[in-house]
Amino acid sequence: MNCFEQLVQDIKAILGPSSGIDSEDVDVEDLQQTMERYVSDEKEWSKYALEDATMPYTRNLVDEGNGKANLLVLVWTPGRASPIHDHGEAHCVMKILRGRLTETRYDFPDGDEEKPMQLRSEMVRSENAVAYMADDLGLHRMSNHGTEYAVSLHLYTPPNVARYGCNIFNVLTGEKTHVAKCGNYSAYGQRLDDPELL
């Protein structure tokens, strides 16, 4: 078993039979520290890192844990970004496996008035950096401003976005649009025939 496979097993062990990060017996800091200990080695995770230049990013399923979480490798096309989005009332622990990604956080829109989204913070996250995100911290957008593909590992618990979708937001107006399903480009290293992506 290589170190990436061990990381997957360690995450499953931390989550155990719980209902995810919200459970009393799961500590998000344990998950973050476990991801921090792993030193990215492309040989170990490359089979999950399927890219597609026609898309801003691909979602590649690595593991579904106990059914209460999704572990995904996301591959980010150079010069592209995700929409501003929420996490469907789920938690996300993310680790940069290759390259650098810019995380831009925003406040949720205030009321129904159309106005530009309020910027909360912006941070460049480099290889091996780990971050935590949840809806109570606001909304965010991930961007690859580099000239090479970037790769990140994301643990979503519970896997609400895969099941029920999420909301995306217009940066100029704050308008919210629900995306019904955020599917995967591949699963367990195998390309899916009809991926439905954000």
Side-chain angles (χ1 to χ4, degrees):
M1 179 180 300
N2 67 39
C3 293
F4 184 79
E5 291 167 342
Q6 185 61 57
L7 172 63
V8 173
Q9 293 305 312
D10 290 347
I11 289 170
K12 287 169 77 166
I14 292 169
L15 292 174
S18 74
S19 60
I21 287 179
D22 284 334
S23 303
E24 291 180 14
D25 58 334
V26 176
D27 184 352
V28 69
E29 289 184 19
D30 286 346
L31 289 166
Q32 286 180 278
Q33 290 170 0
T34 298
M35 281 197 181
E36 286 168 356
R37 282 191 297 270
Y38 173 69
V39 177
S40 182
D41 182 343
E42 189 165 349
K43 294 185 305 291
E44 297 177 346
W45 48 258
S46 62
K47 76 174 190 175
Y48 301 107
L50 280 67
E51 61 195 46
D52 187 330
T54 67
M55 309 173 99
Y57 63 96
T58 59
R59 293 167 45 96
N60 302 285
L61 182 67
V62 174
D63 191 74
E64 292 180 294
N66 60 4
K68 306 293 185 178
N70 279 345
L71 188 63
L72 300 167
V73 166
L74 274 63
V75 181
W76 302 87
T77 302
R80 303 286 296 273
S82 72
I84 298 169
H85 61 279
D86 66 17
H87 287 87
E89 299 182 15
H91 304 264
C92 175
V93 181
M94 171 187 71
K95 180 181 183 76
I96 308 301
L97 296 176
R98 182 177 73 205
R100 295 169 13 142
L101 291 172
T102 301
E103 180 185 24
T104 309
R105 293 190 180 189
Y106 298 87
D107 291 327
F108 274 90
D110 185 21
D112 294 331
E113 181 184 344
E114 285 192 10
K115 58 185 174 184
M117 300 284 294
Q118 183 67 43
L119 179 69
R120 182 178 278 193
S121 66
E122 187 165 272
M123 180 175 288
V124 176
R125 302 201 183 273
S126 298
E127 189 168 311
N128 286 308
V130 174
Y132 170 74
M133 185 61 182
D135 289 348
D136 62 351
L137 300 175
L139 305 166
H140 79 167
R141 162 187 282 162
M142 300 300 296
S143 307
N144 179 4
H145 297 299
T147 58
E148 303 289 331
Y149 283 93
V151 181
S152 53
L153 179 67
H154 297 245
L155 173 68
Y156 297 104
T157 177
N160 291 345
V161 171
R163 293 179 182 160
Y164 312 116
C166 68
N167 296 305
I168 60 173
F169 296 81
N170 182 307
V171 69
L172 299 176
T173 66
E175 180 183 3
K176 175 173 74 171
T177 303
H178 184 73
V179 177
K181 183 178 180 184
C182 302
N184 299 320
Y185 188 81
S186 72
Y188 311 107
Q190 299 297 312
R191 172 83 159 82
L192 299 174
D193 291 335
D194 186 25
E196 297 174 32
L197 299 168
L198 179 64

